[in-house]
């Protein structure tokens, strides 16, 4: 009897969770990678979902921060000597390498060219669309501390700098992806 | 009540419905948006996603070849 009670309780909890997920059109993405192709996937999914009426949240951390830096190219952004060195080496959205076939930056150059030729939105165009669609963009507090960065170093569409606990609260009840 | 047009026949996913939704967000309530789109994914998904978001599909017609026109009211 007890076992049956526990099981039916568990079923109720699971079915209410599934119901919430189906009702809440929400997509939360942790953008960890700074690779051109993976960031393209992040923004393709994000803009597509936002246009379909989803609430979309992106949490940029470590290499993924490159996508939303104010300086699109290389700059001495960052606090302290090593912060500046890292800032210069990481660069911005224009310096994102491809996961494969990077060839010292020739890969992303060719990809952008091929994307334009095929009339497919480039990474920069997808970021612009994300801004226009009002996608919620957040920065990882820990990562920007490590890299000696501050919220002012990022595009003004970034909503807030958060810790993981707050982001988990925001993403509750929806689908989450780590890219 | 104004009428606007949008050509997404050369666009690909996700910009087909991204451009449509952005255009719909820019026009006033009751305005009309005529969207020219291609067969396949855009034709299947653009009217459906617009409807799901509370916009009214007034007409869906074949223009020529693989081009269709969907008339949406905000």
């Amino acid at each position: 009897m007890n076992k049956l009670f526990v099981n039916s309780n568990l079923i109720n909890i699971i079915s209410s969770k599934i119901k919430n997920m189906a009702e809440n059109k929400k997509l939360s993405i942790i953008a960890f990678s700074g690779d051109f192709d993976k960031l393209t996937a992040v923004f393709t999914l994000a803009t597509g979902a936002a246009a379909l009426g989803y609430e979309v949240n992106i949490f940029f951390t470590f290499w993924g921060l490159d996508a939303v830096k104010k300086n699109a190219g290389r700059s001495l952004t960052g606090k302290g000597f090593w912060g500046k060195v890292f800032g210069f080496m990481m660069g911005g959205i224009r310096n994102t390498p491809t996961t494969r076939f990077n060839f010292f930056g020739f890969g992303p150059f060719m990809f952008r060219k091929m994307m334009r030729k095929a009339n497919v939105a480039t990474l920069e165009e997808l970021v612009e669309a994300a801004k226009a669609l009002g996608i919620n963009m957040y920065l990882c507090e820990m990562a920007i501390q490590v890299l000696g960065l501050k919220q002012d170093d990022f595009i003004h569409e970034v909503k807030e700098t958060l810790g993981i606990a707050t982001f988990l609260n925001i993403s509750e009840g929806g689908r989450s992806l780590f890219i | 009540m104004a009428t606007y047009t949008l050509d997404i026949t050369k666009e690909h996913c996700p910009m087909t419905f991204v451009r449509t939704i952005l255009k719909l967000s820019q026009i006033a309530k009751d305005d009309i948006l005529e969207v020219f789109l291609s067969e396949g994914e855009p034709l299947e998904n653009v009217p459906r996603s617009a409807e799901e978001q509370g916009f009214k599909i007034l007409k869906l017609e074949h223009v020529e070849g693989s081009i269709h026109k969907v008339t949406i009211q905000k």
Side-chain angles (χ1 to χ4, degrees):
Chain A
M1 186 69 186
N2 252 354
K3 199 177 173 186
L4 191 68
F5 175 75
V6 170
N7 284 347
S8 68
N9 248 4
L10 195 65
I11 289 164
N12 282 342
I13 291 166
I14 293 167
S15 55
S16 101
K17 284 263 180 205
I18 292 168
K19 197 167 166 253
N20 281 344
M21 280 173 77
E23 281 170 2
N24 287 347
K25 288 179 81 175
K26 190 195 285 191
L27 177 67
S28 301
I29 306 172
I30 298 175
F32 172 83
S33 171
D35 290 345
F36 171 84
D37 39 352
K38 288 182 182 169
L39 284 170
T40 302
V42 167
F43 282 96
T44 302
L45 283 164
T47 53
L52 292 171
Y54 278 68
E55 174 195 328
V56 181
N57 307 300
I58 314 178
F59 184 70
F60 294 95
T61 186
F62 280 96
W63 315 113
L65 291 166
D66 286 352
V68 282
K69 277 182 185 163
K70 217 179 258 174
N71 287 318
R74 295 196 191 280
S75 66
L76 294 171
T77 314
K79 211 165 57 186
F81 176 75
W82 288 111
K84 285 185 175 25
V85 169
F86 254 83
F88 184 79
M89 279 163 51
M90 283 172 73
I93 197 165
R94 276 209 307 262
N95 307 107
T96 52
T98 44
T99 310
R100 295 181 65 197
F101 307 140
N102 186 50
F103 303 127
F104 304 101
F106 184 68
F109 168 77
M110 276 312 291
F111 267 114
R112 280 186 174 92
K113 209 173 159 181
M114 286 159 73
M115 285 163 104
R116 275 192 207 101
K117 199 178 170 199
N119 222 24
V120 170
T122 61
L123 177 56
E124 287 81 356
E125 286 165 344
L126 289 166
V127 174
E128 287 309 309
K131 291 177 189 173
L133 288 162
I135 286 172
N136 302 313
M137 297 191 257
Y138 301 103
L139 305 176
C140 169
E141 189 190 13
M142 185 265 281
I144 71 163
Q145 279 292 325
V146 171
L147 297 167
L149 298 165
K150 51 190 186 308
Q151 197 170 321
D152 275 356
D153 296 326
F154 295 86
I155 55 173
H156 70 87
E157 286 82 3
V158 165
K159 209 170 170 182
E160 225 177 313
T161 301
L162 305 173
I164 194 67
T166 315
F167 185 72
L168 287 174
N169 262 341
I170 289 169
S171 55
E172 174 110 26
R175 298 170 201 198
S176 298
L177 295 171
F178 179 91
I179 301 175
Chain B
M1 194 174 71
T3 301
Y4 299 87
T5 57
L6 178 70
D7 185 355
I8 55 163
T9 52
K10 301 256 189 306
E11 300 285 350
H12 298 281
C13 172
M15 296 312 278
T16 46
F17 36 94
V18 167
R19 291 214 194 283
T20 308
I21 296 302
L22 285 177
K23 188 73 189 171
L24 283 165
S25 69
Q26 289 160 4
I27 67 176
K29 196 178 178 298
D30 295 327
D31 280 353
I32 304 285
L33 178 65
E34 293 175 339
V35 185
F36 290 87
L37 37 73
S38 303
E39 267 173 10
E41 198 264 347
L43 182 61
E44 283 168 29
N45 291 323
V46 171
R48 186 171 55 85
S49 61
E51 204 163 32
E52 273 175 15
Q53 289 179 63
F55 302 106
K56 199 171 168 189
I57 306 297
L58 299 180
K59 218 189 308 176
L60 188 58
E61 55 198 307
H62 180 240
V63 179
E64 61 172 9
S66 62
I67 312 291
H68 295 254
K69 183 173 90 173
V70 58
T71 308
I72 309 169
Q73 185 171 36
K74 184 169 179 180

